[in-house]
């Protein structure tokens, strides 16, 4: 691309925000800085513009954030539709990821925007109906191995909010033919260790997309754990490091190197801090799922916010994925059951909740939709008479028997159900129905 053409495109993009804010550019004052991300091997230039726009006699200055993506091989700018095949199902996937804002004081994606508005932003990429800057569609940018997007918000929230997801975690159905997706192509390994000394073969591997994530080594995770576990560090440092560790762990779990790790053969520090659960598979399910739990020191964020639960799986194409299911909660996962049905793949998780004594058992249902796991509304069928207490909160069933000192959870292999007992006495069986939509509870004889 000739330098003049590049400069012209960059200038056009830098000034493109003005028509949405003012009628007379002579009354505007812009102070804008930019960040460049260049990927020469695929001919991509991504620019982030950030700054302040003031208008004479305006009520207040506006915080600006907008982007430019340029295909240097085709010598043209790239809009949202050049990068993504956006539809309503992409919106569902993004909300299921519910990424945190880059500015920590801003809400998560799911908290800051409703479904219909996100659909409009995704499916109106050229903003042809926008009359004001805050009505613009979201803008995309590339930052290292992540796809970032900026959403205009009200002035009280900062005028804009930015979120990022791993570029190669985005399922292939929404990828265009743009060169930037080339980095996500790699022949996958179609097996994943189960943690029991064996491996499971996944389904068809004709599709060769494979996430490319930050190059994380076990030593990187160890370094963060040492900071977290050192009580001599102040609380803020340890708490911030937990967030960093969680982010690194997600990246590591999407790399093939993580597949050699299991609870018996791994680095001692990692094994001491992570718990591996391999769910029981029903109906010859081939999702090859592993649950990894991290228990943070309770003195940092408290007993009710110390549990982090991740799910790792390979899809039918052999592509490796990872997702954070519980982000600082009270649920300690101990068992899992995966069930396939006509409605999809469902995961029943069970464990204990650090609420009170005796610690109750919890059960929650997650479903795999559009390449992401979403927590399902729980329909619990209760026994007619029982000395057990069953509460429903945050789409979880909390089960306990207050008459006894302990509640125990185990898995019933034959019926593929969870068994909850109290002091080894009469118990309850929790089982998903065949559709994976209801949790049936029944008293054991």
């Amino acid at each position: 691309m000739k330098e003049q053409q590049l400069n012209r495109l960059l200038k056009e993009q830098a000034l493109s925000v003005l028509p949405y804010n003012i009628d007379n550019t002579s009354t505007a004052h812009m102070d804008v800085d930019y960040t460049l991300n260049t990927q020469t091997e695929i001919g991509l230039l991504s620019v982030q513009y950030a700054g302040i726009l003031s208008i004479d006699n305006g009520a207040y200055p506006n915080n600006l954030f907008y982007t430019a993506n340029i295909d240097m091989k085709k010598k043209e700018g790239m809009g949202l539709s050049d990068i993504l095949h956006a539809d309503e199902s992409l919106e569902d996937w993004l909300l299921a990821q519910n990424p945190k804002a880059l500015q920590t004081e801003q809400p998560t994606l799911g908290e800051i925007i409703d479904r219909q508005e996100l659909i409009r932003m995704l499916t109106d990429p050229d903003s042809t109906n926008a009359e004001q800057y805050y009505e613009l569609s979201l803008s995309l940018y590339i930052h290292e191995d992540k796809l970032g997007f900026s959403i205009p918000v009200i002035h009280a929230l900062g005028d804009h909010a930015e979120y990022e997801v791993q570029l190669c975690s985005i399922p292939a159905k929404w990828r265009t033919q743009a060169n930037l997706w080339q980095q996500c192509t790699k022949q996958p390994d179609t097996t994943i260790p189960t943690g029991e000394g064996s491996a499971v073969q996944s389904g068809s591997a004709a599709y060769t997309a494979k996430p490319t994530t930050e190059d994380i080594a076990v030593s990187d995770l160890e370094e963060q754990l040492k900071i977290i576990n050192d009580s001599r560090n102040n609380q803020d440092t340890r708490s911030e490091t937990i967030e960093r560790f969680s982010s690194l762990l997600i990246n590591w779990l999407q790399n093939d190197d993580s597949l050699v790790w299991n609870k018996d053969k791994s680095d001692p520090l990692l094994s001491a801090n992570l718990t591996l659960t391999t769910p029981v598979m029903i109906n010859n399910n081939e999702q090859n799922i592993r649950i990894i739990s991290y228990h943070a020191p309770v003195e940092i964020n408290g007993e009710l916010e110390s549990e982090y639960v991740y799910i790792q799986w390979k899809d039918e194409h052999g592509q490796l994925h990872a997702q954070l299911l519980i982000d600082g909660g009270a649920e300690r996962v101990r068992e899992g059951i995966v069930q396939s049905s006509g409605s999809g793949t469902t995961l029943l998780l069970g464990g204990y909740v650090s609420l009170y004594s005796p610690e109750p058992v919890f059960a929650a249902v997650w479903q795999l939709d559009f390449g992401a796991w979403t927590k399902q509304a729980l329909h619990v069928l209760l026994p007619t008479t029982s000395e057990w207490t069953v509460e429903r909160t945050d789409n979880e069933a909390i089960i306990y028997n207050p008459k006894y000192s302990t509640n125990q959870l185990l898995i019933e292999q034959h019926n593929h159900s969870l068994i909850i007992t109290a002091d080894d006495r009469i118990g309850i069986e929790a089982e998903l129905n065949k559709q994976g939509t209801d949790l049936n509870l029944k008293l054991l004889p």
Side-chain angles (χ1 to χ4, degrees):
M1 174 181 284
K2 294 180 179 180
E3 186 174 347
Q4 286 183 333
Q5 291 175 293
L6 176 59
N7 289 335
R8 175 180 55 79
L9 280 172
L10 290 174
K11 181 179 179 180
E12 290 175 356
Q13 293 291 338
L15 298 176
S16 64
V17 71
L18 289 176
Y20 294 98
N21 289 273
I22 55 177
D23 297 321
N24 184 357
T25 57
S26 65
T27 66
H29 308 276
M30 288 180 63
D31 183 7
V32 176
D33 200 358
Y34 62 89
T35 302
L36 294 176
N37 185 81
T38 306
Q39 299 188 17
T40 56
E41 67 277 6
I42 57 175
L44 174 68
L45 176 64
S46 185
V47 189
Q48 303 171 46
Y49 299 97
I52 300 292
L53 171 64
S54 300
I55 302 173
D56 290 347
N57 300 318
Y60 46 76
N62 291 316
N63 300 299
L64 297 180
F65 187 96
Y66 54 105
T67 66
N69 299 294
I70 297 175
D71 187 325
M72 300 175 68
K73 293 182 179 179
K74 294 183 178 181
K75 304 178 182 180
E76 60 186 25
M78 301 171 65
L80 187 151
S81 58
D82 297 311
I83 297 173
L84 292 169
H85 292 306
D87 58 18
E88 292 190 13
S89 63
L90 174 58
E91 173 275 334
D92 290 326
W93 183 85
L94 284 173
L95 288 181
Q97 307 305 303
N98 197 26
K100 295 180 179 180
L102 299 189
Q103 298 296 323
T104 56
E105 67 274 10
Q106 291 181 320
T108 64
L109 178 64
E111 295 170 336
I112 206 169
I113 191 169
D114 62 38
R115 184 175 186 273
Q116 292 304 316
E117 182 63 12
L118 185 55
I119 289 174
R120 185 195 67 77
M121 288 185 175
L122 286 169
T123 55
D124 187 15
D126 298 320
S127 303
T128 53
N129 297 320
E131 297 180 357
Q132 300 292 333
Y133 173 67
Y134 60 81
E135 293 179 349
L136 281 170
S137 293
L138 59 83
S139 55
L140 301 180
Y141 61 90
I142 309 300
H143 176 229
E144 297 176 348
D145 60 349
K146 299 178 180 65
L147 178 65
F149 48 99
S150 178
I151 295 177
V153 298
I154 61 175
H155 182 71
L157 291 177
D159 293 321
H160 59 85
E162 283 70 58
Y163 304 85
E164 294 181 355
V165 296
Q166 289 291 332
L167 181 69
C168 296
S169 71
I170 299 174
K173 62 181 291 187
W174 298 306
R175 302 176 187 176
T176 64
Q177 296 301 312
N179 290 333
L180 69 93
W181 298 108
Q182 292 177 3
Q183 60 189 291
C184 301
T185 303
K186 181 180 177 182
Q187 183 65 38
D189 173 16
T190 60
T191 62
I192 181 170
T194 64
E196 303 298 331
S198 61
V200 179
Q201 184 74 22
S202 75
S204 169
Y207 180 65
T208 59
K210 169 71 176 66
T212 299
T213 57
E214 187 178 350
D215 187 15
I216 303 299
V218 170
S219 58
D220 297 315
L221 299 173
E222 288 180 326
E223 180 181 352
Q224 305 303 311
L225 286 172
K226 289 176 181 177
I227 297 172
I228 295 168
N229 295 340
D230 190 344
S231 59
R232 294 171 296 181
N233 294 322
N234 65 54
Q235 294 291 92
D236 289 341
T237 297
R238 299 173 76 190
S239 181
E240 291 170 1
T241 307
I242 289 176
E243 295 298 320
R244 173 62 176 163
F245 172 76
S246 183
S247 176
L248 291 176
L249 184 59
I250 280 285
N251 285 337
W252 182 67
L253 290 173
Q254 294 180 80
N255 288 329
D256 287 338
D257 289 346
S258 69
L259 300 181
V260 302
W261 177 79
N262 62 56
K263 58 188 176 184
D264 299 319
K265 300 176 180 179
S266 63
D267 178 85
L269 183 58
L270 214 56
S271 296
N273 286 271
L274 300 181
T275 301
L276 174 65
T277 302
T278 305
V280 173
M281 304 290 181
I282 303 178
N283 302 333
N284 297 319
N285 186 276
E286 295 182 344
Q287 295 293 338
N288 303 324
I289 295 167
R290 302 200 305 180
I291 306 296
I292 294 91
S293 302
Y294 167 59
H295 177 73
V298 296
E299 67 269 17
I300 299 178
N301 294 325
E303 187 71 46
L304 300 184
E305 299 181 7
S306 61
E307 301 296 328
Y308 296 79
V309 179
Y310 311 81
I311 186 168
Q312 181 189 50
W313 76 101
K314 277 191 174 182
D315 61 25
E316 66 273 20
H317 305 297
Q319 186 168 347
L320 185 63
H321 305 267
Q323 180 182 331
L324 179 61
L325 296 184
I326 299 175
D327 185 6
E331 303 92 333
R332 302 197 311 278
V333 173
R334 291 297 178 265
E335 301 289 354
I337 298 173
V338 176
Q339 175 175 299
S340 293
S341 66
S343 60
T345 302
T346 302
L347 170 66
L348 171 61
L349 286 182
Y352 300 95
V353 186
S354 301
L355 292 176
Y356 36 74
S357 181
E359 286 187 327
V361 168
F362 85 90
V365 177
W366 298 74
Q367 190 161 34
L368 183 61
D369 292 310
F370 305 110
W373 293 89
T374 55
K375 202 175 188 179
Q376 301 300 295
L378 198 58
H379 304 285
V380 182
L381 305 180
L382 304 175
T384 54
T385 59
S386 173
E387 59 185 8
W388 288 79
T389 298
V390 180
E391 301 172 354
R392 279 172 287 185
T393 179
D394 192 26
N395 289 333
E396 292 180 0
I398 308 298
I399 308 166
Y400 62 98
N401 192 324
K403 293 185 178 182
Y404 299 98
S405 61
T406 60
N407 299 296
Q408 298 94 25
L409 172 72
L410 55 93
I411 199 162
E412 210 290 322
Q413 297 283 349
H414 179 70
N415 293 330
H416 303 298
S417 58
L418 299 177
I419 305 296
I420 302 103
T421 64
D423 291 349
D424 297 324
R425 298 171 186 255
I426 188 170
I428 281 183
E429 182 178 22
E431 182 181 17
L432 281 172
N433 65 354
K434 292 183 179 179
Q435 293 74 34
T437 56
D438 294 333
L439 186 64
N440 299 326
L441 302 181
K442 65 180 180 181
L443 289 174
L444 295 175

